[in-house]
Amino acid sequence: MQFIAALLSGIVLAGAAQAETRLEFAPQKNDNYFWQLPVYTGGRTALETYISVDFPYGPYQVHQWPGTYYETTFTGPEVYFALSDNANILSVSVDDVLLGKLSKPGSRIYRVSGLSNAPHRIRIERNTETQNEKGGFHGFDLPNFKPGAVMPPQPPLLPRTRQIEFIGNSYTVGYGNTAGKRQCTKDELWATTDTQQAFGPLTAKHYNADYQINAFSGRGIVRNYDGFIGDTLPALYPYALYDGKTEYHDPLWQPQLIVIALGTNDFSTPVHAGEKWKTEAELIADYEATYVNFVKSLRTKNPDAAVLLISYDPATTPQITTVRDRLKAQGDAKVDFLEITGFTKNACDYHPDTDDDRKISQTLIAYLDAHPAFWQGK
């Protein structure tokens, strides 16, 4: 595909749906309404209503969990969208072709133009992990369309029949996976983390499935990396944002499959003096009991989902298989275990790189193809 030079600072173009397609800044609109087109949101978001005088386009969705994406369908040569995001790198695709990436796009309106006068699907994906900042999405709009007018017929925005949820830590996030090196600065880590190239989205896209990436680097089941203080993943999990108060609830999110990969941070460093566990045996017992209860809490909300527990390290395999066995003994017939090892880890801080991500994804795909009942007939 032909690469085109960047039009403006912060916009990197990477080809187009057709040769004349452009992704560019657009002038602010005269009205403050930006939800003309229906939106499908992948991932957890919360609604905020604060309206800035300088950028009065709200209410809007805010996101913190990695891998979030927004989609709509429309007919015609142009579409607009508005963002409030000073923290993330976002990819913009039209008809499954990457058009460009927006790096810390700010509070701006963007326009995609030069498309054919035909039905299209636009998708905006979050690539980066920003644990302490939120990104905002204000919606999609058609050009010259006034609030209150009758919307011309648009292509249906059909939901996908398959849904997969991925719960994990930095491996699931795609921590520095595109760096091509193991020693990274903080800025390099941010710039080279691409959740969309991690194993979760790769696997979901193979099956044309919607997905959530409910992962947070450094967090464990009962113990975070090196024992640092902060919420563990089960404590963060109930919330749409990392504030511990904005609870997540979406009755339309009913995944057929939940993939959990947690344990690396719990056990990769020795227990320090002053931590609540006096011995490794105490840590293991707490980990196994808490993991069992976490899966049981997921089961109450997802009674029909298959749950797949992953180990990346033979050292954690005994603990995770114990969790599986306890759940099965308690009557959960839809839980299983899969060990995936043998990584290159040529990414930041010896994390899996994109080759490793593809290996994990291919292993998962082979497993799922061998267990078609996981899709519950979908």
Side-chain angles (χ1 to χ4, degrees), residues 6-21:
L7 290 178
L8 295 168
S9 175
I11 302 179
V12 178
L13 295 187
Q18 54 191 53
E20 65 272 21
T21 304

Side-chain angles (χ1 to χ4, degrees), residues 69-110:
Y69 56 96
Y70 302 95
E71 293 180 292
T72 195
T73 52
F74 64 99
T75 297
E78 292 185 339
V79 67
Y80 291 74
F81 59 91
L83 304 170
S84 293
D85 196 330
N86 293 311
N88 292 289
I89 298 173
L90 306 171
S91 294
V92 181
S93 299
V94 175
D95 302 332
D96 297 322
V97 176
L98 177 63
L99 177 58
K101 292 187 176 183
L102 306 175
S103 180
K104 297 183 179 180
S107 296
R108 299 295 298 262
I109 297 172
Y110 293 86

Side-chain angles (χ1 to χ4, degrees), residues 167-185:
I167 302 173
N169 51 34
S170 54
Y171 281 36
T172 305
V173 169
Y175 180 104
N177 57 347
T178 70
K181 61 179 184 178
R182 292 166 173 165
Q183 304 300 321
C184 304
T185 66

Side-chain angles (χ1 to χ4, degrees), residues 314-329:
T316 64
T317 292
Q319 291 79 34
I320 299 176
T321 54
T322 296
V323 171
R324 178 204 56 190
D325 294 344
R326 287 186 183 178
L327 288 163
K328 283 186 173 293

Side-chain angles (χ1 to χ4, degrees), residues 20-62:
E20 65 272 21
T21 304
R22 296 168 65 88
L23 170 63
E24 57 193 348
F25 296 145
Q28 292 200 177
K29 298 171 64 211
N30 292 327
D31 63 82
N32 63 359
Y33 190 75
F34 236 99
W35 291 100
Q36 307 285 8
L37 292 168
V39 178
Y40 180 81
T41 301
R44 298 180 172 192
T45 66
L47 193 66
E48 291 196 357
T49 57
Y50 170 75
I51 304 299
S52 167
V53 174
D54 297 327
F55 198 69
Y57 304 105
Y60 58 103
Q61 294 186 37
V62 294

Side-chain angles (χ1 to χ4, degrees), residues 76-296:
E78 292 185 339
V79 67
Y80 291 74
F81 59 91
L83 304 170
S84 293
D85 196 330
N86 293 311
N88 292 289
I89 298 173
L90 306 171
S91 294
V92 181
S93 299
V94 175
D95 302 332
D96 297 322
V97 176
L98 177 63
L99 177 58
K101 292 187 176 183
L102 306 175
S103 180
K104 297 183 179 180
S107 296
R108 299 295 298 262
I109 297 172
Y110 293 86
R111 173 173 56 206
V112 175
S113 61
L115 298 166
S116 63
N117 192 24
H120 300 287
R121 189 180 191 103
I122 183 172
R123 180 177 173 112
I124 300 172
E125 296 180 333
R126 170 179 169 154
N127 301 336
T128 37
E129 180 180 29
T130 49
Q131 298 175 346
N132 298 318
E133 299 182 70
K134 297 180 290 187
F137 173 74
H138 293 255
F140 295 105
D141 197 8
L142 292 175
N144 303 317
F145 185 76
K146 304 299 182 184
V150 177
M151 171 69 72
Q154 301 298 319
L157 183 60
L158 300 176
R160 296 174 178 87
T161 58
R162 290 176 171 175
Q163 298 178 334
I164 311 178
E165 182 168 341
F166 298 90
I167 302 173
N169 51 34
S170 54
Y171 281 36
T172 305
V173 169
Y175 180 104
N177 57 347
T178 70
K181 61 179 184 178
R182 292 166 173 165
Q183 304 300 321
C184 304
T185 66
K186 182 178 179 181
D187 288 342
E188 287 173 335
L189 171 61
W190 171 82
T192 61
T193 294
D194 189 346
T195 302
Q196 303 302 334
Q197 294 193 57
F199 71 87
L202 291 179
T203 304
K205 290 175 182 179
H206 173 83
Y207 291 107
N208 190 31
D210 283 310
Y211 55 90
Q212 287 189 2
I213 309 298
N214 297 320
F216 198 115
S217 294
R219 306 306 167 114
I221 287 286
V222 295
R223 182 174 184 263
N224 298 326
Y225 178 76
D226 204 28
F228 78 80
I229 303 300
D231 288 334
T232 59
L233 204 290
L236 288 167
Y237 180 83
Y239 301 102
L241 302 175
Y242 300 151
D243 57 7
K245 60 183 180 182
T246 307
E247 293 189 6
Y248 172 74
H249 177 69
D250 182 358
L252 299 180
W253 183 248
Q254 298 290 329
Q256 293 93 19
L257 174 64
I258 301 174
V259 179
I260 310 175
L262 288 166
T264 306
N265 292 315
D266 295 83
F267 299 110
S268 60
T269 56
V271 175
H272 305 303
E275 292 191 72
K276 61 182 281 189
W277 312 276
K278 303 303 181 184
T279 65
E280 185 176 2
E282 289 184 5
L283 173 61
I284 290 172
D286 192 13
Y287 171 86
E288 291 173 351
T290 303
Y291 204 159
V292 167
N293 289 333
F294 180 51
V295 175
K296 290 170 72 173

